[in-house]
């Protein structure tokens, strides 16, 4: 069986004027089976850059990334959206919910490009919101939800397509300690119940403690 994530010798440089920054320097790692993986490391070590490559928001300068057996660099531009929809979910630090839409509508939005009829989309969204314990807040807009509740809606949105891989950048960064703990318990449960792999960039020791695998970056390199 192909690895869920297979990153080989990935490098990425940024140029700012005369300065050349090695954001990632020959990074390799594999995730063989459903797991929670923490990407740790100091500020500027390349965590967000790596997540951006996994979602193919950006392309590496060199090296290869395979997700579930598919080579990311071989995917034509016009297939990217469909590929991301099928295989990936994202959770951002600031949740990135649409302020004018309800929780239910925010989650449905992630199904906008799939062929399901409206009624089915509504059902999938409300079922996934129930999975994260938000069935009592379907009609609330983000401003009417707490930070932890918004994060749960963001997780539901990432999961509604049942992707194999969810990528999260500092998902506990804006949560108080108790809410962060609840979010981690949720991630652990979803990983076990749905077989979802989570890759989480984080400074949070608790995320590292619960992860099955921790990848430490330092100056764009995998630390020993
Ligand atoms: N678009 C860009 N142009 C130039 N340099 C960049 C760009 N994006 C990132 N960098 C640089 O690449 C390095 C890695 O940045 P990255 O955002 O991946 O770090 P990070 O580990 O996510 O940090 P943090 O923990 O602060 O979020 C940093 O030195 C950063 O300044
Ligand atoms: Mg970052």
């Amino acid at each position: 069986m192909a690895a869920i994530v297979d990153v080989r010798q990935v490098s990425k440089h940024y140029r700012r004027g005369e300065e050349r920054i090695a954001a990632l320097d020959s990074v390799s790692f594999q995730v063989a089976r459903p797991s929670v993986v923490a990407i740790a490391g100091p500020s500027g070590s390349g965590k967000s850059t790596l997540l951006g490559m996994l979602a193919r928001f950006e392309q590496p300068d060199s090296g290869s990334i395979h997700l579930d057996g598919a080579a990311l660099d071989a995917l034509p531009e016009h297939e990217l959206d469909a590929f991301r929809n099928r295989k990936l979910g994202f959770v951002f630090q600031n949740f990135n919910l649409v302020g004018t839409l309800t929780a239910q509508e925010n989650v449905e939005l992630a199904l906008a490009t799939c062929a399901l009829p409206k009624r089915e989309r509504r059902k999938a969204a409300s079922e996934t919101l129930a999975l994260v314990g938000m069935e009592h807040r379907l009609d609330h807009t983000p401003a009417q939800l707490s930070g932890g509740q918004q994060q749960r809606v963001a997780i539901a949105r990432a999961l509604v397509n049942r992707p194999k891989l969810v990528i999260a950048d500092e998902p506990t960064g804006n949560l108080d300690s108790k809410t962060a703990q609840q979010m981690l318990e949720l991630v652990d449960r979803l990983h076990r119940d749905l077989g979802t792999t989570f890759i989480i960039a984080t400074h949070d020791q608790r995320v590292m403690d619960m992860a099955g695998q921790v990848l430490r970056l330092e100056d764009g390199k995998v630390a020993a």
Side-chain angles (χ1 to χ4, degrees), residues 7-219:
V7 174
R8 292 190 191 243
Q9 304 275 318
V10 163
S11 294
K12 177 74 179 178
H13 294 83
Y14 292 111
R15 194 172 282 287
R16 276 198 67 240
E18 291 297 288
E19 199 185 3
R20 192 164 175 272
I21 300 164
L24 293 175
D25 187 356
S26 242
V27 168
S28 298
F29 77 101
Q30 283 80 39
V31 182
R33 61 186 66 81
S35 176
V36 178
V37 182
I39 314 258
S43 179
S45 58
K47 303 183 295 297
S48 296
T49 304
L50 181 56
L51 296 191
M53 306 275 144
L54 290 174
R56 229 198 90 167
F57 292 140
E58 289 193 85
Q59 292 253 52
D61 298 335
S62 57
S64 69
I65 300 178
H66 289 75
L67 295 188
D68 203 19
L72 279 192
D73 64 353
L75 279 174
E77 225 34 66
H78 67 271
E79 282 178 22
L80 271 182
D81 279 346
F83 179 82
R84 288 197 192 105
N85 257 329
R86 274 201 319 274
K87 302 271 186 185
L88 294 176
F90 313 99
V91 181
F92 301 93
Q93 179 171 7
N94 56 5
F95 319 139
N96 277 19
L97 298 174
V98 180
T100 51
L101 300 181
T102 65
Q104 167 83 27
E105 290 163 343
N106 263 286
V107 176
E108 270 178 49
L109 202 57
L111 296 168
T113 58
C114 75
L116 285 180
K118 175 78 181 160
R119 193 166 39 83
E120 294 294 315
R121 276 183 279 174
R122 195 172 300 152
K123 182 159 169 276
S126 55
E127 280 175 2
T128 308
L129 280 160
L131 204 62
V132 300
M134 287 296 291
E135 63 278 10
H136 62 316
R137 292 290 184 271
L138 300 181
D139 296 325
H140 286 232
T141 62
Q144 296 165 338
L145 297 170
S146 72
Q149 290 173 334
Q150 290 180 51
Q151 188 61 300
R152 280 189 275 161
V153 175
I155 293 172
R157 182 184 54 186
L159 287 169
V160 70
N161 287 304
R162 297 294 184 269
K164 279 200 171 168
L165 180 63
V166 170
I167 294 170
D169 202 350
E170 303 272 3
T172 58
N174 278 326
L175 303 179
D176 66 67
S177 133
K178 180 159 168 273
T179 314
Q181 187 59 43
Q182 287 168 347
M183 203 216 81
L184 291 180
E185 282 161 18
L186 176 65
V187 164
D188 190 45
R189 176 165 63 78
L190 293 171
H191 145 249
R192 280 185 278 110
D193 291 355
L194 303 178
T196 314
T197 290
F198 287 84
I199 298 195
I200 307 177
T202 189
H203 292 280
D204 188 335
Q205 185 59 45
R206 285 167 308 185
V207 179
M208 298 173 218
D209 291 344
M210 65 91 73
Q213 189 177 338
V214 180
L215 181 78
R216 278 178 209 285
L217 294 180
E218 261 169 46
D219 294 328

